[in-house]
Amino acid sequence: MQLIDHQGRRVVEKRMADPDRHGTEVVALRALADADLPVPELVEVKPGSILMTYLPGERLDSTTADERGVRA
């Protein structure tokens, strides 16, 4: 993944060689688009490449559940 400029917009480019993984990610992002969650917006989808909006912040899995205040 890398940040790039696309038509005057800062976006994330994610490249994937595996077409199944690529397809799964696109389907998941489209399914979550209307959810009440911070989900990147798809900007452009091409075989092997996905451009999406950049969401700043930390990954949810970068800390433990206890640190995030999540109870099991």
Side-chain angles (χ1 to χ4, degrees):
M1 290 192 343
Q2 61 182 349
L3 281 174
I4 64 167
D5 287 316
H6 176 74
Q7 298 177 349
R9 202 170 163 191
R10 197 86 167 136
V11 298
V12 174
E13 179 184 39
K14 190 170 188 178
R15 294 185 182 184
M16 289 178 238
D18 181 346
D20 290 333
R21 183 171 174 225
H22 178 272
T24 299
E25 179 132 357
V26 170
V27 168
L29 288 170
R30 285 182 176 152
L32 291 170
D34 294 328
D36 191 26
L37 296 168
V39 179
E41 173 191 334
L42 292 173
V43 175
E44 184 176 286
V45 177
K46 293 182 179 179
S49 175
I50 302 171
L51 297 182
M52 62 186 93
T53 55
Y54 172 67
L55 296 178
E58 292 184 32
R59 290 177 51 104
L60 291 177
D61 60 358
S62 66
T63 59
T64 67
D66 289 335
E67 291 170 319
R68 291 190 310 268
V70 175
R71 297 181 188 197

